[in-house]
Amino acid sequence: MSATDIDRLRDENAELRRRVEAAEALIAELREEALVRRREVRSLVEAMPAATSRKALLRALAGDLRGQVLGRLRRIRRR
Amino acid sequence: MNPDPALTGHRPVRVHVSERGNAFMRDIAEWIVEAAALAGRDAVLETGLPKADGMIHLAVAPHELFPLSGASPAEVDAAVAASVLVCTEQPGTPWFDTTLDLARRAAAVLDINVVAVDALRAAGVDARHLQLGAVPSMTVRDPADATARPIDVLFLGALDDRRGAVLAQLAPVLASRIAELRLFRFEGPVGAHTPGLVFGHDKYRLLADSSTLLNVHRASTGSTRPYFEWARMVEAMANGCVVVTEPSDGTAPLVAGTHFVEADADHLGATIEALLDDPERRREIAAAAFDAVTGELSLVTAVGTALDRLDREGTSGRTAPPRRQRGRPPTDRRTDGRSGTGFAAFRPHRELQVAAKRAAIAEGHLLRRLDTAACLLHHGTEQHVERWTTPTWEPCTPEVSVVVSLYDYAAVVCETLDSIAASEDVAFEIVVVEDHATDASRDVVRTWMDAHPGVPVLLLGKEVNEGLSAARNTGFEAARAEMVMTIDADNLLVPRCLRRLADALHADAGAGAAYAILEDFGASPALRSALDWDVERLCRGNYLDAQAMWRRTVWAELGGYRADEGDVYGWEDWDLWLRLAAHGGRAAIVRQVLGRYRVQATSMVALSNVAQDLAVAAIRQRYPSLPWPAGPT
């Protein structure tokens, strides 16, 4: 193998190494992002109310309705 | 030969107990029959309903006998009116409420605990106390027999949150002694079919083999006074087993310090330790208690006196004006298995949750593909596993391999390794599978290995994170012993764990795996993996942790853990236990606290619990031959 071929292969090798390192850096960056996103998605999933009793739901609805009615009444009185 | 009523003037006695109820009630009924017979009565055990025929009909555990009879309301009314109830239930429980309703309509009422007598009287029922004591058939061991008792501490009882918490607090003591925790859950009548429970002679034998019996109160039910479980205590005392109890009401005429030992929950551990280290004191208390329950408190005397009184006063009158509960007939939640309102919980945003869970899992997949790409670039393969060993790993011939799955537990993994390294009387190796953690887990373990060259350790470091199931499978494949213990890198073993579980597998060739009770730590104390192997229970939900010892051949035959990433995500342990059951296998329990489970605020469990009905449905489809509870598939 000639010295020129060796230089060419060495250059090719360096270029491939540079590409691999660039790809690895990008993968590492994507991995970090993916880890952060996975944590976020998991915390969102886990924060959702899984189940509630109908009694609690009706109580919440009644409380909300009462607030709405009282608010309307206050606005009517102010007019 | 039964005594002739015409000659004795005594009315015959029929002792009724439900054949569908809890088996320990039958034990009580049998004691009463035995005591009545020894008191010179014609006494017979029956399982049907009492009737008004001039005999004395004692209805033991009426909250079970009548509701479970299947009779019409009119038939039950007639039977209750002809009965002398022998009540057994603790005030503040639904079973006591059922008892109270029946007591208001009964001919007469007896109760085995003065606390309950007081509560019945406060409710207007003319209840009397039936002092429980021993009958001769209870004692299976001569109290003077000084041979060693193999069990230091025995607990027999239903598991609830409070008992779980107190027993977990006692774990250090229980782990350092020979403890036997016979736990069950009240979800239906318990009997000989209930795994782990013993009755009659088998129970007396167990008590005779135990130095101490621990009594821990159930969860508080409002104003309930601390209750002394008289039946269990008498059985223990009749067999020379010393009762150690939390302070209780209604213990008289027994005296704390003389007939039993009393300590509050915070001091139970120290009290048990002191008692176990003082055989002379144990002998004194056991002897005094035995003399009391077989002498002064003999059930023969109490039953004879009660029956004499019933003969004199008759059993035709009601104890109080009838005041029947409205609505459906009284039932026993311990026996009918129903609870709550009957409505399924309302699940808002369910579709959104399912979609979000799948998105979270998809994120994990994406991460893995990135790892794979990096691995291909680095090593030219989709996975690369780096190996490190301590100098003692290669020459070691382990009896047990301990597979530690490790992902992001750099802060606690050394504690886990320390606990395994402290194992006693067993040749073991540790196989740590580091699943490409995002923290310094791998370096931390390598440093630990450098500091512990005498501990045989193999560390496998994966370049691609593959998840918990795949990590465990990698560990099993690398394990050299036939018995393989699985443990997560944040949990702990007690020094005798490996020896005890290995012994359990050696002793039980039919068991594919063995597990012990675990103590929760890090949050509220509790117990897990505390109940015996029970396939029906397993089908209702996973009550067994993955921390267990497997036969490697059984694990291989089953195909190992399934690396599910779909709806079954996070339920892989349960899937493997169910597969074991579906293949006709089983696991053996060692009823001792031999491990510690770290409860953390956030964990994979939380995500796996989201939309778990889909996971359950998917798993049910895999194992159709198992005894699944009725319901949607």
Side-chain angles (χ1 to χ4, degrees):
Chain A
M1 190 178 282
S2 69
T4 318
D5 286 342
I6 289 171
D7 285 346
R8 189 176 50 78
L9 284 174
R10 191 172 285 134
D11 289 347
E12 246 178 51
N13 191 32
E15 173 58 15
L16 285 173
R17 191 179 297 277
R18 191 191 62 75
R19 288 184 195 179
V20 166
E21 282 170 2
E24 281 179 347
L26 184 60
I27 287 170
E29 202 177 301
L30 289 172
R31 189 168 191 270
E32 283 306 308
E33 281 177 23
L35 280 169
V36 170
R37 204 164 49 242
R38 188 175 69 168
R39 274 196 289 273
E40 285 174 357
V41 174
R42 281 190 175 185
S43 60
L44 282 172
V45 175
E46 288 159 14
M48 283 184 201
T52 185
S53 74
R54 284 166 177 77
K55 191 176 169 186
L57 185 74
L58 289 173
R59 191 176 289 164
L61 280 173
D64 177 65
L65 190 62
R66 187 169 174 271
Q68 294 283 338
V69 170
L70 291 175
R72 283 283 169 88
L73 287 174
R74 271 197 297 275
R75 279 201 290 279
I76 290 167
R77 281 198 203 107
R78 268 192 240 118
R79 280 178 196 167
Chain B
M1 198 172 119
N2 288 331
D4 184 349
L7 298 176
T8 61
H10 295 320
R11 285 188 287 158
V13 179
R14 297 295 173 260
V15 181
H16 301 255
V17 68
S18 174
E19 59 188 341
R20 283 182 260 174
N22 289 290
F24 43 80
M25 300 304 179
R26 190 183 177 96
D27 284 349
I28 296 176
E30 285 175 350
W31 302 342
I32 293 174
V33 171
E34 182 179 344
L38 290 170
R41 301 292 185 134
D42 164 18
V44 175
L45 188 75
E46 291 192 356
T47 53
L49 285 183
K51 47 185 181 274
D53 56 5
M55 293 196 259
I56 295 175
H57 291 277
L58 300 178
V60 175
H63 67 288
E64 292 184 353
L65 177 66
F66 298 106
L68 293 177
S69 66
S72 69
E75 288 168 334
V76 167
D77 278 346
V80 172
S83 298
V84 177
L85 307 190
V86 180
C87 308
T88 56
E89 293 307 297
Q90 179 174 355
T93 62
W95 316 303
F96 180 83
D97 296 341
T98 301
T99 300
L100 177 58
D101 175 55
L102 295 163
R104 290 187 166 119
R105 297 179 277 136
V109 177
L110 303 171
D111 196 296
I112 62 170
N113 194 302
V114 289
V115 170
V117 170
D118 291 348
L120 287 164
R121 284 182 180 162
V125 174
D126 180 20
R128 288 177 197 149
H129 183 217
L130 176 66
Q131 175 63 58
L132 273 195
V135 289
S137 67
M138 252 184 220
T139 302
V140 298
R141 173 178 174 145
D142 182 344
D145 180 352
T147 53
R149 293 170 182 253
I151 299 167
D152 292 326
V153 186
L154 174 67
F155 179 87
L156 288 170
L159 180 63
D160 66 11
D161 290 347
R162 184 177 185 283
R163 282 178 168 168
V166 173
L167 292 171
Q169 279 178 337
L170 288 174
V173 174
L174 299 178
S176 67
R177 303 284 184 165
I178 308 293
E180 176 96 357
L181 307 184
R182 297 263 182 165
L183 298 158
F184 63 95
R185 288 218 185 258
F186 270 132
E187 290 163 344
V190 296
H193 61 279
T194 308
L197 284 191
V198 283
F199 301 93
H201 184 84
D202 293 339
K203 180 171 46 174
Y204 311 145
R205 185 71 259 165
L206 183 63
L207 289 161
D209 282 342
S210 304
S211 293
T212 61
L213 175 76
L214 182 59
N215 181 47
V216 175
H217 297 314
R218 288 190 187 131
S220 169
T221 49
S223 60
T224 305
R225 292 156 62 190
Y227 194 77
F228 195 64
E229 305 268 4
W230 266 97
R232 202 167 298 140
M233 303 306 133
V234 165
E235 294 168 321
M237 291 172 183
N239 285 291
C241 176
V242 176
V243 171
V244 181
T245 177
E246 290 186 280
S248 310
D249 279 358
T251 57
L254 297 177
V255 177
T258 302
H259 302 107
F260 62 94
V261 178
E262 199 172 74
D264 59 35
D266 290 338
H267 298 95
L268 274 176
T271 304
I272 292 168
E273 291 273 31
L275 194 60
L276 290 175
D277 291 339
D278 189 347
E280 189 49 41
R281 180 158 182 253
R282 248 182 14 245
R283 264 194 296 276
E284 280 173 17
I285 294 174
F290 179 83
D291 289 346
V293 297
T294 57
E296 177 194 354
L297 300 184
S298 163
L299 191 60
V300 179
T301 310
V303 167
T305 306
L307 292 174
D308 286 347
R309 187 166 183 168
L310 290 168
D311 268 337
R312 283 198 309 276
E313 297 177 356
T315 55
S316 56
R318 292 183 187 279
T319 57
R323 214 170 38 155
R324 190 169 184 178
Q325 284 176 342
R326 289 184 183 177
R328 73 182 174 103
T331 56
D332 183 343
R333 253 182 268 170
R334 260 185 338 205
T335 53
D336 73 0
R338 284 181 290 196
S339 63
T341 61
F343 287 111
F346 178 60
R347 299 182 192 282
H349 321 303
R350 190 172 173 284
E351 291 77 14
L352 191 59
Q353 273 186 322
V354 171
K357 180 179 179 179
R358 286 179 180 160
I361 292 169
E363 285 293 326
H365 280 238
L366 182 63
L367 204 54
R368 242 156 254 173
R369 287 172 63 192
L370 286 170
D371 284 349
T372 307
C375 191
L376 273 168
L377 282 171
H378 257 303
H379 304 284
T381 53
E382 292 194 349
Q383 175 65 287
H384 177 78
V385 181
E386 206 72 45
R387 289 166 65 99
W388 295 269
T389 58
T390 54
T392 43
W393 179 78
E394 187 68 49
C396 145
T397 309
E399 182 185 5
V400 175
S401 298
V402 184
V403 169
V404 182
S405 46
L406 172 62
Y407 182 79
D408 283 1
Y409 281 131
V412 293
V413 64
C414 290
E415 211 182 324
T416 302
L417 295 174
D418 286 341
S419 79
I420 301 167
S423 295
E424 294 170 353
D425 305 326
V426 63
F428 66 91
E429 66 169 357
I430 304 176
V431 180
V432 182
V433 183
E434 190 273 336
D435 197 18
H436 199 55
T438 63
D439 67 4
S441 292
R442 188 178 299 188
D443 293 338
V444 165
V445 174
R446 289 186 65 188
T447 306
W448 189 93
M449 289 166 69
D450 289 342
H452 298 81
V455 181
V457 184
L458 166 67
L459 167 62
L460 300 173
K462 289 187 167 187
E463 286 302 294
V464 178
N465 170 278
E466 292 184 307
L468 181 58
S469 294
R472 285 190 186 136
N473 287 339
T474 301
F476 269 83
E477 285 156 10
R480 295 176 296 175
E482 166 54 17
M483 289 181 283
V484 182
M485 178 84 197
T486 54
I487 180 170
D488 292 341
D490 56 338
N491 294 342
L492 306 173
L493 299 182
V494 305
R496 295 198 227 177
C497 178
L498 299 181
R499 183 67 271 148
R500 293 275 164 78
L501 290 178
D503 286 346
L505 286 179
H506 285 312
D508 186 351
Y515 62 95
I517 300 171
L518 305 180
E519 167 213 355
D520 280 2
F521 73 106
S524 41
L527 298 180
R528 65 180 61 213
S529 294
L531 305 171
D532 278 49
W533 176 258
D534 179 349
V535 178
E536 283 184 23
R537 173 177 296 284
L538 197 59
C539 288
R540 294 199 295 271
N542 190 14
Y543 66 98
L544 300 177
D545 191 73
Q547 189 160 317
M549 187 177 286
W550 284 84
R551 292 185 200 279
R552 198 153 56 109
T553 46
V554 171
W555 168 86
E557 282 163 16
L558 294 174
Y561 290 93
R562 278 203 178 131
D564 283 304
E565 288 296 313
D567 292 330
V568 186
Y569 171 87
W571 296 89
E572 297 86 355
D573 308 344
W574 190 34
D575 177 80
L576 189 60
W577 289 125
L578 289 167
R579 214 173 326 140
L580 175 65
H583 281 72
R586 62 182 170 76
I589 184 173
V590 175
R591 300 183 190 91
Q592 301 175 36
V593 182
L594 297 179
R596 306 187 76 205
Y597 181 96
R598 189 185 302 269
V599 180
Q600 311 206 62
T602 56
S603 67
M604 198 173 86
V605 172
L607 181 63
S608 56
N609 283 343
V610 173
Q612 60 174 278
D613 51 330
L614 291 180
V616 173
I619 288 178
R620 277 181 82 140
Q621 283 183 343
R622 285 180 185 168
Y623 309 111
S625 64
L626 292 179
W628 296 99
T633 55

